[in-house]
Amino acid sequence: MNKVKLVRKILVYAIYVVFLVCFQVSFPDKISFDAQIADIMFVFVSLVAYYYGLWDGIIVGLVVGILRDCFAAPAILSFNGDIATSVGIGSLSMFLVAVFSASVFTVKMHRKFSFALITVATCSVIYKILGHGAIKLWTTVFSSASYSLSFKQVVVDSILVQVLLNLICAIPLILLLRFAGPYSGGVNPALSKNDTGGNQSWLTV
Amino acid sequence: MRRLFANKWFIVVLITVLLVAIIILGAIPNSPVNKILTPVKAVANPIQRFVKSVGTTIDDYWAAITDGVAIREENVALKEEIARLEYEATKDDEAMIRYEELKDAFHIKDSFSDYDIFGASVLSREADEWFSVIRVGAGIDDGLILENTYSYAVVDNRTNLIGRVIETNSSESKILPLLHEGFSVNGKVNEVNGAVILVSGDAALKKQGLCLVTGIGEDVVIEVGDVIVTSGDGGLFPQGIPIGEIYSVDYSDSLHPIATLIPYASIDDLKDVFIMVPYNQDVATETPVTEETNE
């Protein structure tokens, strides 16, 4: 990759990351429905990893995760029993989203619109299940309190609404990445070279 | 070793372990790990403030266009209101002078006279269901020094409770909102010898914008519509801050009746908040109320 293309890639990623992260934490009311907020950062990381591969995904995921920790860190029970903001949970979750999105589907299915949506939906469901599971575990172990959400509330009010919102915001993001993304033509040349030798299966994990 | 670092899965596992270690170390009180994001914040915060101000300007401009007719009508009504209020204010000035004289004579104490009030604008809000801390633009440089067990009450422009400060840095603070499941405060029914209760956030009720009310005594009768204010017990919050109204009551378990409360403050519409800092810091040093300590 020559210098001009590299600078273009970094600039485009920087603009998207700054704008999307700042928009989500500054105006969550504009993208919320039924008490859930469309997770634009999450969807963006997932799509970048899906379309442009593991390394792009990891770097964008870590940057977005760090900004997520800076602007909207979760408040958790610390070891002394006080509620405090945590460091690293945003980075870890965005990093794992990138790894998952770039790894589950092999090259044969990369860059297909429908599979991009399936990736976002799958990631969202796993993120939500793991999140609820971690909070339930943390609450039980550290505060010996019970987690008040019922199974139905978790599925209907949390997971289902979040997946729908994420899918809705995935559509414009896919179009932006394809037609105004970091790579001209919407294709990472490093990945397209590997495509020719890819296998036919779509699940490799 | 070089071959090991060429393996992408090795790098993925390494980064994951590193991040998990940061999370665990960060959960230790006063851990220096919590300061690793300070340089990032120094760069990112001004950018986020700029994006927010641009967004707010566009939003306001758009609202000015779409609401033009309504604003003109409102303007006429407001002018009439101003005229009426100016007359009221003139009368109140005299009443105020009289009140100050009586206050000095009888040593009357204002509700929040021991507290300094810091105004701050909301910088960012929740990113999703769990990343839910609110950032506001007032910090150590403004006099908000938060040490180990300190915390400050945060209210809206009508003195309704919003939450409490859990972290400060040089230019901003982070607030735990009262709907968060980790939040709890001792409250009481706003009447003479009103029953003392515990108001806390609840994961299931958060979606409906409600708080959970527990700690209701067996012989206490709480009714829908009862106004709940902070009781001042525990020392974290001053007494008398309005929290909200009882929304529903459940006496099916006579030993542990519960109720729900609808807060007065609307977190979704927040633009500015006010942080209450006691002049005497010892007022805010007691441990925040938790279910365990309450029981």
Side-chain angles (χ1 to χ4, degrees):
Chain A
M1 183 178 284
N2 66 38
K3 217 172 188 176
V4 176
K5 284 185 177 172
L6 184 67
V7 170
R8 174 186 189 267
K9 182 172 96 165
I10 293 169
L11 268 179
V12 171
Y13 274 140
I15 290 167
Y16 276 128
V17 166
V18 167
F19 177 74
L20 295 177
V21 171
C22 292
F23 183 81
Q24 185 171 339
V25 298
S26 303
F27 307 102
D29 49 314
K30 309 271 183 212
I31 48 171
S32 67
F33 174 74
D34 203 22
Q36 294 288 339
I37 298 161
D39 203 338
I40 307 177
M41 304 180 208
F42 178 98
V43 175
F44 182 71
V45 170
S46 177
L47 290 174
V48 165
Y50 174 76
Y51 277 118
Y52 303 128
L54 183 68
W55 300 117
D56 282 32
I58 283 179
I59 292 165
V60 170
L62 283 174
V63 173
V64 169
I66 288 168
L67 291 175
R68 194 176 175 104
D69 280 330
C70 282
F71 294 142
I76 60 167
L77 207 60
S78 60
F79 291 136
N80 66 349
D82 285 344
I83 296 282
T85 54
S86 76
V87 177
I89 293 180
S91 309
L92 179 65
S93 36
M94 291 301 114
F95 171 73
L96 293 178
V97 165
V99 172
F100 180 86
S101 300
S103 310
V104 168
F105 301 99
T106 62
V107 287
K108 199 65 190 168
M109 289 301 175
H110 274 190
R111 294 180 295 280
K112 295 280 192 294
F113 181 84
S114 54
F115 275 86
L117 294 180
I118 291 172
T119 304
V120 169
T122 313
C123 279
S124 304
V125 170
I126 293 171
Y127 171 71
K128 281 291 183 182
I129 291 171
L130 290 179
H132 283 292
I135 293 172
K136 186 177 171 63
L137 187 72
W138 194 273
T139 311
T140 312
V141 171
F142 289 102
S143 75
S144 35
S146 60
Y147 191 48
S148 62
L149 283 178
S150 66
F151 179 75
K152 188 185 158 224
Q153 284 172 319
V154 168
V155 174
V156 178
D157 298 338
S158 179
I159 297 177
L160 198 62
V161 179
Q162 186 71 69
V163 170
L164 286 173
L165 284 171
N166 285 0
L167 285 176
I168 290 168
C169 74
I171 295 167
L173 284 177
I174 290 171
L175 295 174
L176 279 172
L177 282 174
R178 291 294 295 272
F179 300 109
Y183 296 98
S184 54
V187 178
N188 181 354
L191 286 182
S192 64
K193 276 179 204 160
N194 295 335
D195 272 0
T196 51
N199 59 34
Q200 301 295 314
S201 64
W202 56 277
L203 274 172
T204 59
V205 181
Chain B
M1 192 59 129
R2 188 175 287 176
R3 279 179 63 187
L4 205 57
F5 276 98
N7 184 329
K8 68 178 180 184
W9 293 114
F10 175 75
I11 296 170
V12 166
V13 171
L14 192 69
I15 296 174
T16 306
V17 170
L18 191 69
L19 289 171
V20 170
I22 289 172
I23 293 168
I24 293 169
L25 291 173
I28 299 169
N30 299 323
S31 167
V33 172
N34 289 324
K35 293 190 169 55
I36 58 172
L37 291 180
T38 308
V40 182
K41 285 175 185 169
V43 177
N45 286 355
I47 298 172
Q48 190 264 332
R49 286 180 196 219
F50 173 75
V51 172
K52 184 174 167 61
S53 70
V54 170
T56 308
T57 307
I58 294 169
D59 205 28
D60 290 348
Y61 185 70
W62 178 249
I65 294 169
T66 53
D67 300 344
V69 176
I71 287 170
R72 272 201 296 274
E73 285 171 3
E74 195 181 351
N75 196 28
V76 172
L78 286 173
K79 278 180 181 167
E80 289 171 9
E81 181 79 2
I82 287 168
R84 191 181 64 77
L85 289 173
E86 276 176 352
Y87 171 69
E88 294 283 330
T90 313
K91 284 202 299 183
D92 288 348
D93 281 346
E94 285 181 36
M96 177 62 84
I97 293 165
R98 186 78 187 126
Y99 170 73
E100 290 294 335
E101 287 169 1
L102 288 170
K103 192 177 147 190
D104 290 341
F106 291 100
H107 304 288
I108 297 170
K109 214 172 168 188
D110 287 333
S111 304
F112 308 126
S113 57
D114 290 337
Y115 290 81
D116 202 358
I117 310 289
F118 288 81
S121 56
V122 174
L123 298 176
S124 66
R125 302 228 309 269
E126 67 276 23
D128 79 352
E129 192 175 356
W130 301 310
F131 290 74
S132 51
V133 168
I134 299 171
R135 276 170 63 239
V136 299
I140 294 167
D141 294 349
D142 303 295
L144 290 177
I145 299 159
L146 197 68
E147 289 176 18
N148 282 343
T149 51
Y150 279 48
S151 191
Y152 303 129
V154 183
V155 296
D156 68 5
N157 54 3
R158 296 188 175 195
T159 336
N160 298 317
L161 188 67
I162 287 169
R164 69 179 174 92
V165 176
I166 55 169
E167 188 184 311
T168 57
N169 64 32
S170 60
S171 61
E172 62 179 53
S173 303
K174 288 180 178 166
I175 294 169
L176 186 75
L178 81 167
L179 292 177
H180 191 283
E181 47 270 38
F183 182 92
S184 58
V185 56
N186 277 320
K188 68 172 195 126
V189 179
N190 193 23
E191 55 191 40
V192 178
N193 296 324
V196 176
I197 48 154
L198 180 74
V199 178
S200 50
D202 181 83
L205 295 171
K206 184 163 65 175
K207 181 176 152 40
Q208 302 158 54
L210 300 173
C211 292
L212 183 67
V213 178
T214 52
I216 304 169
E218 287 174 49
D219 51 346
V220 169
V221 177
I222 300 264
E223 290 176 352
V224 172
D226 279 353
V227 173
I228 305 298
V229 298
T230 52
S231 67
D233 296 345
L236 188 64
F237 299 94
Q239 186 182 348
I241 300 176
I243 306 173
E245 283 182 12
I246 295 294
Y247 183 74
S248 67
V249 187
D250 180 4
Y251 278 102
S252 56
D253 181 354
S254 57
L255 289 176
H256 300 101
I258 56 169
T260 60
L261 172 142
I262 184 157
Y264 285 132
S266 172
I267 307 284
D268 289 344
D269 303 330
L270 273 185
K271 287 192 173 161
D272 298 295
V273 297
F274 298 89
I275 301 167
M276 304 180 76
V277 181
Y279 288 119
N280 175 9
Q281 290 282 7
D282 292 340
V283 173
T285 56
E286 293 181 36
T287 311
V289 179
T290 62
E291 296 222 24
E292 291 78 38
T293 55
N294 190 57
E295 285 164 7

